[in-house]
Amino acid sequence: MSKPAAAPLPGWGVWTWPNLVTAVRLLGIPLVCYLLLATQYYWQAAIILAVGGGTDWVDGQLARRLGQVSKLGRLLDPFVDRLYILSSLLMLTFLGLLPWLFAAVVLLRDAVMVSMVVVLRWHGYAPPQVHFLGKCATAMVFMSFPVLVIAGLVADADAWATPLGWALAWWGLGLYWLAAVVYLRQAARVMRAPRPQPSVPA
């Protein structure tokens, strides 16, 4: 029998350990931008980017295990994930480490997903549950960014980092869109399903 989902904390539940982890991840974004654009601490920037992006599951796991699921966490966690991807795409494109077409395709996918959620909310439905394929795709896209930073900016790392970074990037992009198709099919199934009719007392 599956374990029931933890009930959300009353109110916004601001002061929780999961929200602290999310806040620390959020602070890593301007730090990475500074290291990449204003210094030559490229290894440090890549490590912070890898840790910040690769630990996107930690706050959610903490929330469920500690019983600290909160309204703020449910909003902040996906927002930070999207902000990591957006800021990484913009930085790497600006530095010439990513072609603009790759960044545009990733951003288009995110725009499609946001539009889907808006349509579902408009009709009174919750967004689809995150599935394993979506998590894997996001993780691969995340992990390609620090490797591409090392490939393009760290001396003597090009031989191994370039093929690894682009393998992660292209496979991640393919899975990213495949996951979007799965989410869209889930949303279409929900929209087509008949709503339960309210019972009328005799």
Side-chain angles (χ1 to χ4, degrees):
M1 181 181 296
S2 60
K3 187 177 180 180
L9 296 173
W12 283 92
V14 176
W15 305 110
T16 66
W17 287 110
N19 289 345
L20 176 61
V21 172
T22 306
V24 171
R25 291 179 58 228
L26 181 61
L27 291 175
I29 296 175
L31 179 57
V32 169
C33 293
Y34 170 74
L35 291 175
L36 286 179
L37 301 178
T39 75
Q40 294 185 347
Y41 294 109
Y42 301 132
W43 267 107
Q44 291 83 343
I47 291 172
I48 295 171
L49 189 57
V51 172
T55 55
D56 65 308
W57 57 275
V58 172
D59 34 18
Q61 286 291 325
L62 276 178
R64 286 185 287 273
R65 290 182 179 275
L66 299 178
Q68 294 182 346
V69 178
S70 65
K71 292 180 181 178
L72 179 62
R74 287 179 171 177
L75 291 175
L76 192 60
D77 184 26
F79 170 76
V80 172
D81 292 344
R82 301 277 76 77
L83 193 58
Y84 257 103
I85 289 181
L86 176 62
S87 60
S88 300
L89 285 172
L90 293 178
M91 280 190 298
L92 269 64
T93 303
F94 176 77
L95 293 171
L97 304 179
L98 271 179
W100 68 266
L101 185 58
F102 183 94
V105 173
V106 174
L107 294 177
L108 177 61
R109 187 269 192 186
D110 282 347
V112 169
M113 296 303 297
V114 170
S115 301
M116 180 197 72
V117 172
V118 170
V119 170
L120 286 172
R121 291 291 191 187
W122 180 265
H123 288 87
Y125 296 103
Q129 291 293 319
V130 176
H131 54 72
F132 182 72
L133 176 61
K135 291 181 179 179
C136 287
T138 302
M140 289 187 73
V141 173
F142 269 145
M143 288 299 99
S144 71
F145 296 148
V147 179
L148 290 174
V149 167
I150 294 171
L153 300 178
V154 176
D156 301 324
D158 177 71
W160 64 268
T162 297
L164 177 59
W166 281 112
L168 289 170
W170 289 117
W171 275 99
L173 182 61
L175 292 177
Y176 209 48
W177 271 98
L178 182 59
V181 172
V182 174
Y183 286 130
L184 289 170
R185 291 183 63 183
Q186 289 179 350
R189 194 179 307 122
V190 168
M191 295 284 289
R192 287 196 301 263
R195 288 178 180 267
Q197 298 295 323
S199 58
V200 179

